[in-house]
Amino acid sequence: MKKAVKIAFMVIIIAALLLAACFFARLTYYRAYSGSRLTGTVTVTVDGEVYKLKKDQVSGGDTVKIKKGGSAYFSAAAGEYGRYMFFVRPEALDDTVEISVMKSKWWDIKRFELNISIDTKKGTVTYSGTSSSLTDLGQRKSSKIKGRQDTSEDRLVIMF
């Protein structure tokens, strides 16, 4: 009987240790992550038509790629907290659209998808999308990005 109690007690302790290890691994994994901590995709439409961006119309970050559909993929190591900027300059605008992404924690892994819609007749730039980042417990939290600016403004800045 005593031997059975000891075995059951050891099994419970081992199970608790394994559970704790899994919990703490989740908390530490993101801090040791070696990939790009900031990545995003930007799609542009002009007057309702999908605009195919070209390599010379996008900049910022460590890597900029143009996907098959004409959207831009950005990535940056972003190992510090602070503001990271990406730039898109479609021919339909006289100005560059600055995409300014804020990271409040150095270890955060932030992802975003952004749709920029340019209406040349109304002179507006409308944007929408999602951004996700990590909570302190390592869970992904999403938020919506939405706004509108007139093309006559001095700077076209999308900040989130």
Side-chain angles (χ1 to χ4, degrees), residues 6-154:
K6 284 182 183 180
I7 291 172
F9 182 71
M10 291 304 284
V11 167
I12 291 172
I13 287 179
I14 290 171
L17 287 173
L18 285 173
L19 240 126
C22 290
F23 177 74
F24 287 114
R26 182 177 195 155
L27 292 178
T28 59
Y29 167 76
Y30 297 107
R31 287 162 175 82
Y33 182 74
S34 63
S36 295
R37 293 184 173 275
L38 180 57
T39 59
T41 303
V42 177
T43 305
V44 177
T45 58
V46 178
D47 296 327
E49 299 289 323
V50 174
Y51 182 82
K52 293 189 176 190
L53 291 165
K54 298 174 191 86
K55 183 82 169 156
D56 63 339
Q57 295 174 316
V58 293
S59 62
D62 299 328
T63 304
V64 177
K65 295 179 184 174
I66 302 298
K67 292 182 162 185
K68 286 183 181 178
S71 60
Y73 169 81
F74 296 97
S75 71
E80 301 291 328
Y81 70 91
R83 184 168 60 155
Y84 293 86
M85 292 179 285
F86 306 98
F87 304 93
V88 177
R89 186 179 178 96
E91 293 171 358
L93 289 175
D94 294 332
D95 203 3
T96 300
V97 178
E98 176 185 316
I99 302 163
S100 183
V101 182
M102 191 67 184
K103 276 188 55 185
S104 59
K105 301 173 186 128
W106 69 266
W107 50 264
D108 193 7
I109 301 172
K110 196 162 198 138
R111 309 277 182 253
F112 68 89
E113 287 194 25
L114 186 64
N115 300 309
I116 300 172
S117 179
I118 302 166
D119 189 329
T120 57
K121 292 173 184 63
K122 292 181 182 176
T124 59
V125 175
T126 308
Y127 55 91
S128 63
T130 58
S131 170
S132 67
S133 57
L134 297 173
T135 65
D136 289 336
L137 296 177
Q139 301 198 342
R140 191 150 293 280
K141 178 184 172 190
S142 292
S143 58
K144 297 219 181 277
I145 305 166
K146 190 173 183 179
R148 182 176 160 253
Q149 296 180 17
D150 290 328
T151 56
S152 62
E153 292 183 29
D154 292 339

